[in-house]
Amino acid sequence: MSYRIEAIRQGITTAYLLAGSGPWVQIDAGYRGDLAKRERRLSRLGVDPAEVGYLILTHHHDDHVGYLAELVRRTPGLRVMMGRETAALVRAGANNTANGGGLVTRRVALLFSLMRRFRPGWDMAFPPYEVRESDIVVADDDWRLPPELGIGARLVRTPGHTSDSVSLLTDEGDLFCGDAAANMLRPAGTRHATVFNEDMEAVYASWRRVLEAGVRRVYPAHGRPFGPEALRRNLDRIRTVDLVPMFRPTNGPMTDESALSAARL
């Protein structure tokens, strides 16, 4: 089963488009101001926005959900797929900080502080998204894409960056991982981890899981695609206790039961 892959680069965040024998599938959105970049990319590819029938959210952060509500208003036929914890978190309209988390190195923390100076209005918020009846909320792990899309792939849980993180793994071994891994700021010591993470031990457990599942190519939301050897080489290099704290845990991780209740699904 073959499919086409196209990247939508939106500043620091990359979304992806997949096309098999059915409608296009988009993986993640971008920041609130990135919708115009997405539209320009579709135009260059010759893709009508109405041809994008599905959008998969890998997790709830503002650089992945920011323009989602506006996109759905413009193309109401778009169906959004997400995990049920994500369904609860996108309703809040802001990145979840209750689980705590931190930046992977002090050099990254310094760069992060400089970035925030140049973006004083950045508040990690996004327009809240209300799950619709036409959307697909995935309750179970290893959920496969509808066969009519012509893309053999399944969603797998890959927590660590956030507790709600999922990735799309195709039968050919392509992994669209959101922020479960990354390929940016490597001179600052990121070692293919995303700059912010809630739980590094969970990050590496997720890496082991996808490696055991036979991943052949990793498509991250931050940076260029890379091979699985980078994950193997960097396993267990950073510990949660060594993160530069950004948020202190407050209420603990959201359970499946509380997420389901909050989303009213």
Side-chain angles (χ1 to χ4, degrees):
M1 186 176 293
S2 62
Y3 48 85
R4 176 180 170 187
I5 304 172
E6 297 288 352
I8 307 176
R9 296 190 173 89
Q10 306 162 128
I12 66 170
T13 303
T14 300
Y16 293 94
L17 288 173
L18 298 182
S21 58
W24 286 88
V25 178
Q26 180 172 333
I27 302 168
D28 283 323
Y31 282 115
R32 280 175 285 187
D34 287 344
L35 184 53
K37 297 173 186 175
R38 184 243 191 202
E39 292 177 338
R40 287 195 294 270
R41 177 61 173 154
L42 290 183
S43 178
R44 286 194 293 270
L45 291 170
V47 177
D48 188 316
E51 295 180 82
V52 182
Y54 293 82
L55 187 145
I56 297 171
L57 291 179
T58 62
H59 63 294
H60 74 284
H61 276 176
D62 59 330
D63 56 331
H64 295 252
V65 184
Y67 64 69
L68 177 62
E70 175 62 23
L71 177 61
V72 169
R73 281 194 292 271
R74 295 190 187 189
T75 53
L78 181 71
R79 301 186 71 186
V80 184
M81 303 179 188
M82 69 195 86
R84 60 177 177 176
E85 187 176 346
T86 302
L89 293 168
V90 295
R91 295 182 67 219
N95 293 4
N96 180 37
T97 62
N99 295 343
L103 301 166
V104 290
T105 69
R106 295 191 180 279
R107 281 173 288 174
V108 167
L110 175 61
L111 292 170
F112 191 83
S113 65
L114 292 173
M115 183 187 77
R116 297 200 73 169
R117 288 185 184 181
F118 287 102
R119 299 182 63 188
W122 181 48
D123 56 4
M124 292 180 288
F126 52 87
Y129 182 74
E130 291 286 344
V131 176
R132 304 162 300 160
E133 289 186 5
S134 59
D135 292 333
I136 300 172
V137 177
V138 180
D140 299 318
D141 200 9
D142 290 339
W143 182 85
R144 293 193 66 84
L145 291 188
E148 60 266 24
L149 294 177
I151 303 170
R154 58 193 172 100
L155 288 182
V156 295
R157 292 196 69 246
T158 48
H161 170 67
T162 62
S163 60
D164 68 314
S165 292
V166 299
S167 299
L168 183 72
L169 178 62
T170 72
D171 295 346
E172 284 79 0
D174 292 323
L175 182 76
F176 299 88
C177 68
D179 288 354
N183 191 11
M184 68 182 298
L185 296 182
R186 288 166 55 198
T190 55
R191 297 183 178 274
H192 283 284
T194 307
V195 295
F196 169 87
N197 293 282
E198 294 178 356
D199 184 331
M200 290 306 304
E201 288 72 33
V203 168
Y204 297 131
S206 294
W207 288 11
R208 287 186 173 91
R209 181 175 188 194
V210 297
L211 286 168
E212 290 170 2
V215 60
R216 297 180 182 178
R217 192 74 174 162
V218 181
Y219 291 81
H222 302 293
R224 300 285 180 171
F226 58 93
E229 64 279 357
L231 299 183
R232 293 192 185 94
R233 188 171 59 247
N234 288 289
L235 283 166
D236 303 319
R237 293 299 188 95
I238 303 168
R239 302 182 302 169
T240 300
V241 295
D242 296 327
L243 296 177
V244 179
M246 189 171 176
F247 307 114
R248 296 292 183 184
T250 54
N251 299 324
M254 182 178 287
T255 65
D256 285 346
E257 290 75 17
S258 63
L260 190 62
S261 174
R264 296 179 183 174
L265 297 176

